Every structure is written in structure tokens, then in C-alpha cells.
């Protein structure tokens, strides 16, 4: 019974939108201005000022009107998990900036990661994804509901 309750709570909180103060924004832009729909089309690209949409306190940019329209129809499908913070760092409850070109789609959701010459957190995530994913979900639930 405890497992069922825990699972249901995780599912419920997975779909609760994050509050604006918990979004990873740079100059008001989510995903550092990258087009969230482009990740699902195979390659992240920067959006333009011409195509943008406000959502949950952040501005999302798009590379085309078509991508902007797709986002408008179902924004929760395209917004990154954990408010756009690094998924690997979120497993420890930390809000760490990302490299918008280091990402992974898991179960139809966008996960972003920190990446520099010295550190690629996506590689570390892949080594222990199941465990880190559970920890990140639990940490995000605490952060987003405070």
C-alpha cells in the first residue's frame, strides 16, 4: 500500500507546474533562449525574438511559428523537468545552470544537464539514471512546493 501511495504521489507531482521563482531563467528566458520544441525534433536550436511565448513566468523562444504553435497547444509536453535546472544536480537538491545543448528525452520529457570541458553531468546521469532520477524527483518536489 505504501508503494502505491508513493507512486501515486510521484505521478501527481510530476504534472504539477513549477512556480516562476523556481524556473531557471537567464534574462527572463527559459532554456537560455533555446526552442523547447526543437529538442523533440532531434536537435536543439536557438529561438528568435520574433517567436516567443510566456509560460509559468518565463519566456520561451521558438525557431519557427510552427514550433510556437505546437508549444501553445501543449506546453507541459515541452517545458523541461525541474524548472530547466540540471537534472544531475537536482538529485542532490541543487539548482545548477545548464548547457542547453546537453539534454536527454526520457519518457517524453526534456531533461537538461550542466556540461563544461571538465564536467559532463549527462554522462554521470547515464551511469546511475534510475537512482538519480528518483532522487531528483524527490528533491524537486520539496523545492517546488516550498
Amino acid at each position: 500500500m505504501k508503494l502505491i501511495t508513493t507512486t501515486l504521489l510521484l505521478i501527481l507531482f510530476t504534472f504539477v507546474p513549477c512556480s516562476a521563482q523556481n524556473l531557471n531563467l537567464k534574462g527572463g528566458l527559459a532554456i537560455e533562449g533555446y526552442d523547447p520544441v526543437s529538442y523533440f525534433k532531434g536537435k536543439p536550436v536557438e529561438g528568435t525574438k520574433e517567436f516567443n511565448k510566456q509560460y509559468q513566468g518565463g519566456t520561451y523562444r521558438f525557431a519557427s511559428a510552427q514550433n510556437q504553435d505546437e508549444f501553445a497547444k501543449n506546453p507541459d509536453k515541452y517545458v523541461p523537468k525541474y524548472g530547466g535546472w540540471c537534472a544531475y544536480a537536482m538529485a542532490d537538491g541543487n539548482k545548477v545552470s545548464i548547457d542547453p545543448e546537453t539534454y536527454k528525452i526520457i519518457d517524453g520529457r526534456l531533461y537538461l544537464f550542466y556540461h563544461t570541458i571538465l564536467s559532463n553531468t549527462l554522462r554521470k546521469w547515464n551511469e546511475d539514471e534510475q537512482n538519480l532520477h528518483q532522487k531528483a524527483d524527490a528533491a524537486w518536489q520539496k523545492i517546488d512546493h516550498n
Side-chain angles (χ1 to χ4, degrees):
M1 184 67 180
K2 187 176 181 181
L3 178 61
I4 292 170
T5 302
T6 302
T7 302
L8 289 173
L9 286 173
L10 283 174
I11 290 169
L12 173 67
F13 288 119
T14 298
F15 297 105
V16 174
C18 64
S19 60
Q21 76 258 17
N22 287 326
L23 287 177
N24 181 4
L25 301 176
K26 197 175 246 186
L29 295 177
I31 320 175
E32 297 184 15
Y34 275 68
D35 178 341
V37 176
S38 69
Y39 290 87
F40 294 86
K41 293 183 174 183
K43 184 175 191 244
V45 295
E46 290 187 70
T48 66
K49 290 181 182 179
E50 181 181 0
F51 305 111
N52 65 76
K53 173 117 176 94
Q54 295 288 321
Y55 186 70
Q56 295 180 342
T59 300
Y60 290 85
R61 287 192 174 167
F62 305 92
S64 68
Q66 179 185 1
N67 283 6
Q68 183 180 20
D69 291 344
E70 284 183 47
F71 181 88
K73 290 177 189 172
N74 188 5
D76 291 329
K77 174 182 177 180
Y78 298 106
V79 297
K81 288 285 284 184
Y82 315 129
W85 300 103
C86 173
Y88 178 81
M90 189 55 62
D92 288 327
N94 297 319
K95 294 180 185 176
V96 173
S97 293
I98 49 98
D99 169 3
E101 294 187 9
T102 304
Y103 72 100
K104 186 172 187 176
I105 305 290
I106 304 169
D107 296 328
R109 292 299 308 271
L110 174 61
Y111 292 74
L112 299 167
F113 298 88
Y114 176 80
H115 182 202
T116 64
I117 293 171
L118 301 175
S119 179
N120 182 346
T121 60
L122 174 57
R123 194 171 22 230
K124 294 175 184 178
W125 173 273
N126 287 335
E127 292 171 4
D128 192 17
E129 183 174 303
Q130 184 176 356
N131 180 46
L132 293 170
H133 196 188
Q134 289 174 349
K135 286 181 177 182
D137 283 347
W140 181 247
Q141 181 180 342
K142 289 177 186 175
I143 289 171
D144 197 43
H145 292 91
N146 284 333

